[in-house]
Amino acid sequence: MTYVIEKAKQPLIFRIRQAFRKDWQLFLMCLLPVIYFIVFHYLPMYGVQIAFKDFQASKGIWGSEWAGFKYFERFFESYQFWPLIKNTLALSFLQILIGFPIPILLAILLNQMKNRRFRQFVQTVTYCPHFISIVVLTGMLYIFLSPRTGLINNLIQFLGGEPQFFLGQPEWFRPIFVLSGVWQNAGWSAIIYIAALAGISPDLYEAAKMDGANKWQIIRHIDLPGIMPTVTMMLIMEMGKVMNIGFQKAYLMQNGLNIAASEIIPTYIYKIGLIDAQYSYSAAISLFNNIINIILLVTVNKIAQKTSENSLW
């Protein structure tokens, strides 16, 4: 106890030097990730001030005139503000509502399978689509859903129905976007839950079987409580990127017919920022988008702290 108190009284610089001498290998390993985050995540924050200036490339960031909240007000007052918010939130929450539970269910089902070879086969088949690029996936959607030669429309015609141009109808954009994302990512996302299930003590399963518990009771009282900390962490992280839906997929699936549902904040920022070169306006929208994400992340984390013992911090 006396040693701990004396050590705490030592100067901070001395303690840092002592720790560095003792674990210099660990500090060296951490150096590259720290440099990466500084160069690619912190230094670019210098450009955030573009959102508050009338940016002109010839004058540079510092030389451009101060505009204050001009571009934020312009976005809030534009007729596109509410449609963009509605489309972004609807698509994101639908993705969480459908896409978040499925990997959990898949992991639990795989964990309950007794046949090891069949379990490995199912797991391989479900996570292989994750390695398909977004461009290829979107091309597959256009091929499968083609009103003339698409497999889905051929089946509809075979059953006596009329072919539909699914990707040209706004009401079909969100279901196609979400379900294709589930198909591509469910197996890969299930890996972390499978790892969490593997960490549950086998003694709990043995005790449950001896008590006569069926599979549903084992899932309810052992599997779900065992992975709940992981589920909470993943849900908090998902809520922290509600406003940042995958830009590539939405942009590639977008066309003039479904734009009423497919125009979301990331695609809008791309168009006005890189295509129309309205850098200050797009920077203001992007900053607003990130602030909303931070607020949601902190709020959900606080709720998790109060309702359970699991949170990010």
Side-chain angles (χ1 to χ4, degrees):
M1 185 68 179
T2 306
Y3 171 76
V4 175
I5 296 173
E6 290 178 355
K7 189 175 181 181
K9 291 181 179 178
Q10 292 175 348
L12 179 61
I13 297 177
F14 178 79
R15 280 182 284 161
I16 293 175
R17 288 178 180 175
Q18 194 174 25
F20 184 79
R21 289 173 184 173
K22 182 180 178 182
D23 301 316
W24 65 270
Q25 299 93 339
L26 296 178
F27 284 100
L28 188 62
M29 290 177 63
C30 293
L31 185 61
L32 287 177
V34 168
I35 292 174
Y36 166 79
F37 276 99
I38 290 174
V39 172
F40 294 101
H41 292 272
Y42 285 94
L43 291 181
M45 290 183 184
Y46 162 78
V48 170
Q49 59 184 303
I50 292 176
F52 302 95
K53 291 191 173 185
D54 287 318
F55 176 71
Q56 295 181 16
S58 59
K59 295 182 178 180
I61 296 177
W62 280 108
S64 300
E65 296 181 1
W66 185 261
F69 292 96
K70 169 185 173 182
Y71 293 104
F72 292 93
E73 294 174 358
R74 175 183 167 185
F75 179 56
F76 297 151
E77 294 172 358
S78 69
Y79 72 94
Q80 293 171 312
F81 176 75
W82 287 113
L84 287 172
I85 295 294
K86 184 190 73 172
N87 289 342
T88 304
L89 291 178
L91 192 60
S92 185
F93 281 116
L94 187 63
Q95 194 167 259
I96 293 174
L97 182 65
I98 297 176
F100 186 76
I102 289 180
I104 301 173
L105 296 175
L106 178 61
I108 291 174
L109 291 174
L110 288 171
N111 188 60
Q112 291 293 325
M113 288 183 182
K114 300 299 181 184
N115 191 316
R116 182 179 177 182
R117 288 187 177 181
F118 183 69
R119 183 174 68 242
Q120 291 176 343
F121 172 76
V122 172
Q123 188 174 355
T124 302
V125 169
T126 53
Y127 76 62
C128 275
H130 175 78
F131 300 99
I132 299 175
S133 72
I134 297 296
V135 176
V136 174
L137 174 64
T138 308
M140 292 169 62
L141 291 176
Y142 273 98
I143 293 172
F144 292 151
L145 299 175
S146 170
R148 293 185 179 181
T149 60
L151 177 64
I152 304 300
N153 275 302
N154 286 339
L155 181 61
I156 292 174
Q157 287 180 300
F158 178 76
L159 297 174
E162 294 292 329
Q164 302 287 329
F165 184 24
F166 293 102
L167 291 174
Q169 301 178 33
E171 61 271 19
W172 279 105
F173 176 82
R174 290 169 189 159
I176 294 172
F177 184 97
V178 172
L179 294 177
S180 60
V182 170
W183 173 75
Q184 185 178 27
N185 298 314
W188 183 260
S189 300
I191 293 176
I192 190 169
Y193 300 112
I194 293 172
L197 287 167
I200 298 175
S201 174
D203 295 338
L204 295 175
Y205 293 105
E206 293 296 332
K209 290 177 182 178
M210 290 180 65
D211 291 339
N214 55 35
K215 287 189 176 182
W216 166 244
Q217 291 172 327
I218 290 174
I219 291 172
R220 181 181 177 185
H221 297 289
I222 298 177
D223 288 345
L224 288 177
I227 65 173
M228 195 52 62
T230 304
V231 172
T232 303
M233 296 293 182
M234 297 301 294
L235 181 59
I236 294 173
M237 293 172 66
E238 285 294 323
M239 293 300 297
K241 53 183 181 181
V242 162
M243 303 294 286
N244 290 337
I245 309 173
F247 156 77
Q248 289 181 331
K249 188 177 175 182
Y251 187 73
L252 291 171
M253 290 177 61
Q254 189 178 94
N255 55 58
L257 298 175
N258 65 22
I259 199 167
S262 63
E263 187 73 296
I264 57 178
I265 290 179
T267 59
Y268 185 67
I269 291 174
Y270 169 77
K271 291 176 182 177
I272 64 171
L274 294 181
I275 297 179
D276 295 342
Q278 300 182 47
Y279 302 117
S280 295
Y281 187 38
S282 61
I285 300 173
S286 180
L287 182 58
F288 163 77
N289 203 42
N290 290 326
I291 290 173
I292 297 298
N293 280 331
I294 293 172
I295 292 172
L296 287 172
L297 178 64
V298 173
T299 303
V300 175
N301 189 71
K302 285 291 183 183
I303 294 172
Q305 281 181 338
K306 293 181 178 180
T307 57
S308 66
E309 298 179 355
N310 305 307
S311 61
L312 289 179
W313 63 84

